[in-house]
Amino acid sequence: MALKEQKIGFLGAGKMASAIIKGLIKYGIDPANICAGEVYPPSAEAARKDFGIYVTNDNAEVVKKSDIVIVAVKPKDIEAALSASGSTCGKLFISIAAGVKIADLEKMAGSGARVIRVMPNICATVLQSATGVSQGMNASREDTALAMEIFSAVGTAMEVPENLLDAVTGLSGSGPAYIFQVIEAMADGGVYAGLDRGTALKLAAQTVLGAATMVIESGQHPGELKDMVCSPGGTTIEGVAVLEQKAVRAAFIDAVITGAEKSERLGKKK
């Protein structure tokens, strides 16, 4: 069955769920085919108002109404949400919870449950997520194709084996926070050099956007693109030398590795 013919339910209607709903509606999914379970009244009301979808505080009702169930509650709340969801027979569950393994999700959802585990990021709120997708033991290739289609509606989706989802979490799951700090720091430098705050922030953000677009669209290695900007004896190579002296690249590598290791530890908690 094509995605646009599926009934899609959300367990949770927080920021990430709302971002996905926004993307699906923009993609062409009828809001009448989307519902959500949310116990926090402000989030429930926001989902009703912003998207025109049906919202209830009854997870079992959401599961019953849906062909695809996107599990968008906090990792600590997943077991309770799934245990209250009633019959899971014939349903496809897609979890966006960091660190919660497919095997554990399958147990929580019941024997034979079809599970896909994904790791999107906060940039889904502007339809620019970088998402890793992993297929569970009982899920089919058709199930994975549906998950890829859903998360392609909010950015870029890539299929990876589950043992690499912790790496995805450390890299693209946590990565926006690192880049937000880069933008802030570059803007601070601009202010120090005399620019007003608003101008510096816009220039810094557009610079990051432009550089990312060049990497994606050119297909060139970032090192090659960096060399294109570094004229002999110029301003840029002096700035790059400072970044090397401060071990900025090593710090980013360590941040990604640390995030991946934390995700792995979360998956081992029972």
Side-chain angles (χ1 to χ4, degrees):
M1 187 184 295
L3 180 61
K4 291 183 180 180
E5 299 172 0
Q6 303 272 350
K7 303 290 186 181
I8 304 172
F10 287 77
L11 303 184
K15 289 183 179 179
M16 190 62 72
S18 295
I20 299 167
I21 293 168
K22 176 183 177 181
L24 288 173
I25 293 173
K26 185 173 181 179
Y27 184 65
I29 304 297
D30 188 339
N33 287 339
I34 302 174
C35 65
E38 176 57 64
V39 297
Y40 183 55
S43 295
E45 183 56 32
R48 291 189 191 99
K49 180 180 178 181
D50 293 345
F51 308 119
I53 65 172
Y54 176 73
V55 184
T56 176
N57 61 6
D58 184 350
N59 286 334
E61 184 181 5
V62 171
V63 173
K64 184 177 180 180
K65 286 176 175 288
S66 305
D67 303 305
I68 300 172
V69 180
I70 297 179
V71 184
V73 295
K74 290 181 173 61
K76 66 181 181 63
D77 297 326
I78 286 181
E79 189 165 10
L82 289 177
S83 65
S85 64
S87 174
T88 61
C89 182
K91 311 295 182 179
L92 171 61
F93 288 86
I94 300 176
S95 170
I96 65 172
V100 184
K101 304 298 185 186
I102 288 173
D104 293 326
L105 291 163
E106 289 172 340
K107 289 177 184 177
M108 293 176 195
S111 178
R114 295 152 54 216
V115 172
I116 303 285
R117 181 182 164 199
V118 304
M119 175 46 61
N121 69 27
I122 193 61
C123 298
T125 58
V126 291
L127 309 184
Q128 291 293 335
S129 177
T131 302
V133 178
S134 295
Q135 179 177 317
M137 289 291 293
N138 302 316
S140 67
R141 294 307 300 165
E142 291 77 11
D143 292 333
T144 299
L146 286 170
M148 291 288 288
E149 190 174 355
I150 288 169
F151 287 91
S152 292
V154 294
T156 297
M158 304 183 71
E159 187 174 0
V160 297
E162 188 188 17
N163 68 330
L164 294 180
L165 270 189
D166 292 325
V168 171
T169 301
L171 175 57
S172 57
S174 301
Y178 311 152
I179 302 305
F180 295 148
Q181 287 187 292
V182 168
I183 292 170
E184 182 185 27
M186 289 175 63
D188 284 346
V191 171
Y192 184 90
L195 293 170
D196 67 86
R197 173 64 60 182
T199 298
L201 189 58
K202 287 181 181 178
L203 287 172
Q206 180 60 43
T207 298
V208 170
L209 176 61
T213 302
M214 284 188 70
V215 170
I216 292 169
E217 294 189 358
S218 73
Q220 291 179 263
H221 190 281
E224 292 181 288
L225 296 172
K226 177 261 296 178
D227 289 347
M228 289 169 56
V229 190
C230 291
S231 302
T235 59
T236 306
I237 193 62
E238 288 206 21
V240 168
V242 171
L243 295 177
E244 292 297 323
Q245 291 164 10
K246 301 294 185 180
V248 169
R249 288 199 297 173
F252 272 102
I253 291 169
D254 286 347
V256 172
I257 292 171
T258 299
E261 290 173 345
K262 175 64 173 180
S263 177
E264 185 177 5
R265 291 196 300 274
L266 285 173
K268 292 178 180 178
K269 289 183 179 180
K270 301 298 180 183

